[in-house]
Amino acid sequence: MTDHVVVPDVGRVGELLAAAGCPWPAPRYVESTGSTNADALEWAADGAPDGSCLVAGEQTAGRGRHGRTWVSDPGAGLWSSTILRGQRHLPRLPLLAALAVVDVARSVGGFSASIKWPNDVLGSSGAKVAGILAESGPDAVVVGIGLNLDYSADNLPDPRATSWLIETGVLADRTEVLVGLLLRLYSRVNSDWADCLVDYRRLCSTIGSTVRVTLPGGGEYSGVAVDVDDDGHLLVDDGQSVRTVVAGDVVHATIAP
Ligand code: BTN
């Protein structure tokens, strides 16, 4: 048994957002749901204002990228979806959300995180600590962030995953992490894109790595990820040309010297 509090104090989060000058409302918390992204898309259709955020203690049908499932065990992480309105550059949002998670890892958790293009957040060992899934509704985008918090090394949902606990050695204060995450997300989506790109290039561990690119329709190729372009697309040098990766799945692959 633990007396560790796994429910964020959403009223307090609302107060702290307001005190920091963020106009977003206090988040909502539910103990269990299928997917906060699915719920937030419905909430957006019902008129939820910009910055409305739903957090769940558990998701029974958490959605990952490429139709995968996102394991969201009870009390083990921060499973959140934030509704954004009035955004003109939708493909930028997952990258900005990844920057927000890296920001909060450093500012609240004190650990260095990096980004696997486009928006997986990796801990110091290169294992995944957070995943991001942005989904569009009629006039809103839902940015879903799954941040692993209390998993220990022996109960990780995936051998390639890590958690806040593993990275920091301490159990996360949900209220502190949630307010930090929302403030960073608010800041990133309202920042100059060119400035964010500078940070993204610095924090993206894919750049400079040998990668294998799996294409959505099948097929793959390998090359060195040399940069991201001004739209955040990955540029991969396959030895003959520099190819632009817009969609697809990039697997970091280290080639033996
Ligand atoms: C990925 O595949 O890396 C993306 C995972 C995104 C998971 C989050 S958890 C909160 C939100 N609700 C969902 O159903 N998915 C996202």
Side-chain angles (χ1 to χ4, degrees), residues 74-98:
L78 198 60
W79 323 126
S80 73
S81 297
T82 304
I83 296 166
L84 298 178
R85 295 195 182 275
Q87 295 292 326
R88 287 185 300 128
H89 301 285
L90 304 190
R92 295 178 184 175
L93 294 177
L95 282 68
L96 294 171

PDB file of all heavy atoms in Angstrom, residues 74-98:
ATOM      1  N   PRO A  74      -4.188   1.865 -14.201  1.00  0.00           N
ATOM      2  CA  PRO A  74      -4.750   2.763 -13.188  1.00  0.00           C
ATOM      3  C   PRO A  74      -3.661   3.427 -12.341  1.00  0.00           C
ATOM      4  O   PRO A  74      -2.815   2.736 -11.780  1.00  0.00           O
ATOM      5  CB  PRO A  74      -5.616   1.849 -12.322  1.00  0.00           C
ATOM      6  CG  PRO A  74      -5.845   0.625 -13.133  1.00  0.00           C
ATOM      7  CD  PRO A  74      -4.706   0.499 -14.101  1.00  0.00           C
ATOM      8  N   GLY A  75      -3.698   4.737 -12.308  1.00  0.00           N
ATOM      9  CA  GLY A  75      -2.795   5.484 -11.432  1.00  0.00           C
ATOM     10  C   GLY A  75      -1.329   5.455 -11.835  1.00  0.00           C
ATOM     11  O   GLY A  75      -0.488   5.979 -11.114  1.00  0.00           O
ATOM     12  N   ALA A  76      -1.004   4.874 -12.986  1.00  0.00           N
ATOM     13  CA  ALA A  76       0.407   4.690 -13.339  1.00  0.00           C
ATOM     14  C   ALA A  76       0.976   5.827 -14.175  1.00  0.00           C
ATOM     15  O   ALA A  76       2.176   5.873 -14.419  1.00  0.00           O
ATOM     16  CB  ALA A  76       0.591   3.374 -14.091  1.00  0.00           C
ATOM     17  N   GLY A  77       0.086   6.727 -14.624  1.00  0.00           N
ATOM     18  CA  GLY A  77       0.597   7.789 -15.486  1.00  0.00           C
ATOM     19  C   GLY A  77      -0.346   8.964 -15.537  1.00  0.00           C
ATOM     20  O   GLY A  77      -1.388   8.991 -14.876  1.00  0.00           O
ATOM     21  N   LEU A  78       0.049   9.949 -16.320  1.00  0.00           N
ATOM     22  CA  LEU A  78      -0.827  11.090 -16.564  1.00  0.00           C
ATOM     23  C   LEU A  78      -1.379  10.915 -17.969  1.00  0.00           C
ATOM     24  O   LEU A  78      -0.645  11.079 -18.952  1.00  0.00           O
ATOM     25  CB  LEU A  78      -0.014  12.384 -16.451  1.00  0.00           C
ATOM     26  CG  LEU A  78      -0.786  13.671 -16.246  1.00  0.00           C
ATOM     27  CD1 LEU A  78      -1.601  13.627 -14.950  1.00  0.00           C
ATOM     28  CD2 LEU A  78       0.168  14.857 -16.216  1.00  0.00           C
ATOM     29  N   TRP A  79      -2.641  10.530 -18.055  1.00  0.00           N
ATOM     30  CA  TRP A  79      -3.291  10.275 -19.345  1.00  0.00           C
ATOM     31  C   TRP A  79      -4.213  11.470 -19.599  1.00  0.00           C
ATOM     32  O   TRP A  79      -5.260  11.591 -18.976  1.00  0.00           O
ATOM     33  CB  TRP A  79      -4.076   8.956 -19.307  1.00  0.00           C
ATOM     34  CG  TRP A  79      -3.434   7.837 -18.524  1.00  0.00           C
ATOM     35  CD1 TRP A  79      -3.990   7.111 -17.520  1.00  0.00           C
ATOM     36  CD2 TRP A  79      -2.119   7.269 -18.695  1.00  0.00           C
ATOM     37  NE1 TRP A  79      -3.121   6.152 -17.035  1.00  0.00           N
ATOM     38  CE2 TRP A  79      -1.964   6.226 -17.739  1.00  0.00           C
ATOM     39  CE3 TRP A  79      -1.043   7.550 -19.540  1.00  0.00           C
ATOM     40  CZ2 TRP A  79      -0.789   5.475 -17.622  1.00  0.00           C
ATOM     41  CZ3 TRP A  79       0.131   6.801 -19.418  1.00  0.00           C
ATOM     42  CH2 TRP A  79       0.241   5.778 -18.483  1.00  0.00           C
ATOM     43  N   SER A  80      -3.793  12.353 -20.499  1.00  0.00           N
ATOM     44  CA  SER A  80      -4.518  13.617 -20.650  1.00  0.00           C
ATOM     45  C   SER A  80      -4.780  13.945 -22.114  1.00  0.00           C
ATOM     46  O   SER A  80      -4.017  13.561 -22.999  1.00  0.00           O
ATOM     47  CB  SER A  80      -3.713  14.763 -20.033  1.00  0.00           C
ATOM     48  OG  SER A  80      -2.594  15.081 -20.845  1.00  0.00           O
ATOM     49  N   SER A  81      -5.871  14.684 -22.331  1.00  0.00           N
ATOM     50  CA  SER A  81      -6.194  15.189 -23.673  1.00  0.00           C
ATOM     51  C   SER A  81      -6.612  16.640 -23.536  1.00  0.00           C
ATOM     52  O   SER A  81      -7.494  16.966 -22.735  1.00  0.00           O
ATOM     53  CB  SER A  81      -7.336  14.384 -24.299  1.00  0.00           C
ATOM     54  OG  SER A  81      -6.938  13.037 -24.474  1.00  0.00           O
ATOM     55  N   THR A  82      -5.987  17.489 -24.326  1.00  0.00           N
ATOM     56  CA  THR A  82      -6.259  18.929 -24.264  1.00  0.00           C
ATOM     57  C   THR A  82      -6.827  19.401 -25.598  1.00  0.00           C
ATOM     58  O   THR A  82      -6.292  19.064 -26.664  1.00  0.00           O
ATOM     59  CB  THR A  82      -4.954  19.693 -23.937  1.00  0.00           C
ATOM     60  OG1 THR A  82      -4.425  19.180 -22.726  1.00  0.00           O
ATOM     61  CG2 THR A  82      -5.213  21.190 -23.784  1.00  0.00           C
ATOM     62  N   ILE A  83      -7.902  20.171 -25.502  1.00  0.00           N
ATOM     63  CA  ILE A  83      -8.596  20.680 -26.699  1.00  0.00           C
ATOM     64  C   ILE A  83      -7.974  22.018 -27.093  1.00  0.00           C
ATOM     65  O   ILE A  83      -7.882  22.929 -26.267  1.00  0.00           O
ATOM     66  CB  ILE A  83     -10.095  20.843 -26.393  1.00  0.00           C
ATOM     67  CG1 ILE A  83     -10.725  19.477 -26.106  1.00  0.00           C
ATOM     68  CG2 ILE A  83     -10.813  21.561 -27.538  1.00  0.00           C
ATOM     69  CD1 ILE A  83     -12.111  19.551 -25.475  1.00  0.00           C
ATOM     70  N   LEU A  84      -7.546  22.103 -28.339  1.00  0.00           N
ATOM     71  CA  LEU A  84      -6.980  23.355 -28.836  1.00  0.00           C
ATOM     72  C   LEU A  84      -7.855  23.877 -29.961  1.00  0.00           C
ATOM     73  O   LEU A  84      -8.231  23.131 -30.872  1.00  0.00           O
ATOM     74  CB  LEU A  84      -5.547  23.132 -29.345  1.00  0.00           C
ATOM     75  CG  LEU A  84      -4.536  22.643 -28.301  1.00  0.00           C
ATOM     76  CD1 LEU A  84      -3.171  22.417 -28.942  1.00  0.00           C
ATOM     77  CD2 LEU A  84      -4.407  23.646 -27.145  1.00  0.00           C
ATOM     78  N   ARG A  85      -8.155  25.159 -29.891  1.00  0.00           N
ATOM     79  CA  ARG A  85      -8.972  25.795 -30.940  1.00  0.00           C
ATOM     80  C   ARG A  85      -8.165  26.912 -31.597  1.00  0.00           C
ATOM     81  O   ARG A  85      -7.238  27.465 -30.990  1.00  0.00           O
ATOM     82  CB  ARG A  85     -10.242  26.385 -30.336  1.00  0.00           C
ATOM     83  CG  ARG A  85     -11.177  25.337 -29.754  1.00  0.00           C
ATOM     84  CD  ARG A  85     -12.554  25.923 -29.508  1.00  0.00           C
ATOM     85  NE  ARG A  85     -13.440  24.952 -28.903  1.00  0.00           N
ATOM     86  CZ  ARG A  85     -14.143  24.046 -29.582  1.00  0.00           C
ATOM     87  NH1 ARG A  85     -14.056  23.983 -30.906  1.00  0.00           N
ATOM     88  NH2 ARG A  85     -14.938  23.200 -28.950  1.00  0.00           N
ATOM     89  N   GLY A  86      -8.555  27.216 -32.829  1.00  0.00           N
ATOM     90  CA  GLY A  86      -7.959  28.355 -33.523  1.00  0.00           C
ATOM     91  C   GLY A  86      -6.524  28.130 -33.959  1.00  0.00           C
ATOM     92  O   GLY A  86      -5.799  29.083 -34.218  1.00  0.00           O
ATOM     93  N   GLN A  87      -6.113  26.875 -34.041  1.00  0.00           N
ATOM     94  CA  GLN A  87      -4.745  26.567 -34.468  1.00  0.00           C
ATOM     95  C   GLN A  87      -4.706  26.456 -35.992  1.00  0.00           C
ATOM     96  O   GLN A  87      -5.497  25.720 -36.576  1.00  0.00           O
ATOM     97  CB  GLN A  87      -4.269  25.262 -33.839  1.00  0.00           C
ATOM     98  CG  GLN A  87      -4.144  25.321 -32.334  1.00  0.00           C
ATOM     99  CD  GLN A  87      -3.015  26.236 -31.880  1.00  0.00           C
ATOM    100  OE1 GLN A  87      -1.981  26.335 -32.531  1.00  0.00           O
ATOM    101  NE2 GLN A  87      -3.225  26.913 -30.763  1.00  0.00           N
ATOM    102  N   ARG A  88      -3.775  27.178 -36.623  1.00  0.00           N
ATOM    103  CA  ARG A  88      -3.743  27.181 -38.093  1.00  0.00           C
ATOM    104  C   ARG A  88      -2.774  26.157 -38.666  1.00  0.00           C
ATOM    105  O   ARG A  88      -2.879  25.777 -39.812  1.00  0.00           O
ATOM    106  CB  ARG A  88      -3.374  28.580 -38.590  1.00  0.00           C
ATOM    107  CG  ARG A  88      -4.524  29.565 -38.420  1.00  0.00           C
ATOM    108  CD  ARG A  88      -4.218  30.912 -39.022  1.00  0.00           C
ATOM    109  NE  ARG A  88      -3.045  31.519 -38.393  1.00  0.00           N
ATOM    110  CZ  ARG A  88      -2.004  31.994 -39.069  1.00  0.00           C
ATOM    111  NH1 ARG A  88      -1.965  31.936 -40.367  1.00  0.00           N
ATOM    112  NH2 ARG A  88      -0.987  32.550 -38.420  1.00  0.00           N
ATOM    113  N   HIS A  89      -1.821  25.695 -37.860  1.00  0.00           N
ATOM    114  CA  HIS A  89      -0.790  24.794 -38.390  1.00  0.00           C
ATOM    115  C   HIS A  89      -0.855  23.461 -37.641  1.00  0.00           C
ATOM    116  O   HIS A  89      -0.057  23.216 -36.736  1.00  0.00           O
ATOM    117  CB  HIS A  89       0.589  25.432 -38.245  1.00  0.00           C
ATOM    118  CG  HIS A  89       0.702  26.747 -38.949  1.00  0.00           C
ATOM    119  ND1 HIS A  89       0.811  26.830 -40.320  1.00  0.00           N
ATOM    120  CD2 HIS A  89       0.690  28.011 -38.479  1.00  0.00           C
ATOM    121  CE1 HIS A  89       0.883  28.103 -40.670  1.00  0.00           C
ATOM    122  NE2 HIS A  89       0.800  28.841 -39.572  1.00  0.00           N
ATOM    123  N   LEU A  90      -1.809  22.644 -38.008  1.00  0.00           N
ATOM    124  CA  LEU A  90      -2.061  21.419 -37.236  1.00  0.00           C
ATOM    125  C   LEU A  90      -0.874  20.461 -37.191  1.00  0.00           C
ATOM    126  O   LEU A  90      -0.605  19.879 -36.135  1.00  0.00           O
ATOM    127  CB  LEU A  90      -3.308  20.710 -37.786  1.00  0.00           C
ATOM    128  CG  LEU A  90      -4.583  21.579 -37.815  1.00  0.00           C
ATOM    129  CD1 LEU A  90      -5.799  20.742 -38.136  1.00  0.00           C
ATOM    130  CD2 LEU A  90      -4.783  22.326 -36.492  1.00  0.00           C
ATOM    131  N   PRO A  91      -0.120  20.267 -38.289  1.00  0.00           N
ATOM    132  CA  PRO A  91       1.000  19.311 -38.209  1.00  0.00           C
ATOM    133  C   PRO A  91       2.079  19.725 -37.205  1.00  0.00           C
ATOM    134  O   PRO A  91       2.879  18.892 -36.780  1.00  0.00           O
ATOM    135  CB  PRO A  91       1.567  19.308 -39.644  1.00  0.00           C
ATOM    136  CG  PRO A  91       0.445  19.783 -40.505  1.00  0.00           C
ATOM    137  CD  PRO A  91      -0.310  20.770 -39.656  1.00  0.00           C
ATOM    138  N   ARG A  92       2.091  20.985 -36.818  1.00  0.00           N
ATOM    139  CA  ARG A  92       3.104  21.412 -35.845  1.00  0.00           C
ATOM    140  C   ARG A  92       2.754  20.981 -34.419  1.00  0.00           C
ATOM    141  O   ARG A  92       3.640  20.892 -33.550  1.00  0.00           O
ATOM    142  CB  ARG A  92       3.225  22.947 -35.853  1.00  0.00           C
ATOM    143  CG  ARG A  92       3.743  23.499 -37.163  1.00  0.00           C
ATOM    144  CD  ARG A  92       3.794  25.031 -37.092  1.00  0.00           C
ATOM    145  NE  ARG A  92       4.200  25.579 -38.373  1.00  0.00           N
ATOM    146  CZ  ARG A  92       4.237  26.867 -38.662  1.00  0.00           C
ATOM    147  NH1 ARG A  92       3.859  27.753 -37.747  1.00  0.00           N
ATOM    148  NH2 ARG A  92       4.631  27.286 -39.846  1.00  0.00           N
ATOM    149  N   LEU A  93       1.474  20.747 -34.154  1.00  0.00           N
ATOM    150  CA  LEU A  93       1.044  20.571 -32.765  1.00  0.00           C
ATOM    151  C   LEU A  93       1.682  19.379 -32.056  1.00  0.00           C
ATOM    152  O   LEU A  93       2.104  19.504 -30.898  1.00  0.00           O
ATOM    153  CB  LEU A  93      -0.484  20.496 -32.694  1.00  0.00           C
ATOM    154  CG  LEU A  93      -1.192  21.803 -33.096  1.00  0.00           C
ATOM    155  CD1 LEU A  93      -2.702  21.628 -33.059  1.00  0.00           C
ATOM    156  CD2 LEU A  93      -0.767  22.952 -32.189  1.00  0.00           C
ATOM    157  N   PRO A  94       1.794  18.208 -32.710  1.00  0.00           N
ATOM    158  CA  PRO A  94       2.441  17.095 -31.995  1.00  0.00           C
ATOM    159  C   PRO A  94       3.896  17.395 -31.645  1.00  0.00           C
ATOM    160  O   PRO A  94       4.385  16.989 -30.591  1.00  0.00           O
ATOM    161  CB  PRO A  94       2.338  15.929 -32.992  1.00  0.00           C
ATOM    162  CG  PRO A  94       1.238  16.302 -33.920  1.00  0.00           C
ATOM    163  CD  PRO A  94       1.266  17.799 -34.009  1.00  0.00           C
ATOM    164  N   LEU A  95       4.582  18.125 -32.517  1.00  0.00           N
ATOM    165  CA  LEU A  95       5.980  18.463 -32.236  1.00  0.00           C
ATOM    166  C   LEU A  95       6.060  19.449 -31.070  1.00  0.00           C
ATOM    167  O   LEU A  95       6.932  19.337 -30.196  1.00  0.00           O
ATOM    168  CB  LEU A  95       6.654  19.055 -33.485  1.00  0.00           C
ATOM    169  CG  LEU A  95       7.089  18.057 -34.559  1.00  0.00           C
ATOM    170  CD1 LEU A  95       5.920  17.381 -35.246  1.00  0.00           C
ATOM    171  CD2 LEU A  95       7.977  18.724 -35.601  1.00  0.00           C
ATOM    172  N   LEU A  96       5.128  20.399 -31.058  1.00  0.00           N
ATOM    173  CA  LEU A  96       5.112  21.373 -29.960  1.00  0.00           C
ATOM    174  C   LEU A  96       4.747  20.695 -28.641  1.00  0.00           C
ATOM    175  O   LEU A  96       5.289  21.032 -27.580  1.00  0.00           O
ATOM    176  CB  LEU A  96       4.118  22.499 -30.283  1.00  0.00           C
ATOM    177  CG  LEU A  96       4.520  23.374 -31.480  1.00  0.00           C
ATOM    178  CD1 LEU A  96       3.378  24.317 -31.854  1.00  0.00           C
ATOM    179  CD2 LEU A  96       5.781  24.171 -31.172  1.00  0.00           C
ATOM    180  N   ALA A  97       3.851  19.722 -28.715  1.00  0.00           N
ATOM    181  CA  ALA A  97       3.479  18.982 -27.497  1.00  0.00           C
ATOM    182  C   ALA A  97       4.679  18.191 -26.974  1.00  0.00           C
ATOM    183  O   ALA A  97       4.912  18.119 -25.757  1.00  0.00           O
ATOM    184  CB  ALA A  97       2.300  18.056 -27.786  1.00  0.00           C
ATOM    185  N   ALA A  98       5.453  17.607 -27.885  1.00  0.00           N
ATOM    186  CA  ALA A  98       6.652  16.873 -27.457  1.00  0.00           C
ATOM    187  C   ALA A  98       7.635  17.820 -26.778  1.00  0.00           C
ATOM    188  O   ALA A  98       8.236  17.482 -25.744  1.00  0.00           O
ATOM    189  CB  ALA A  98       7.300  16.188 -28.658  1.00  0.00           C
TER     190      ALA A  98
END
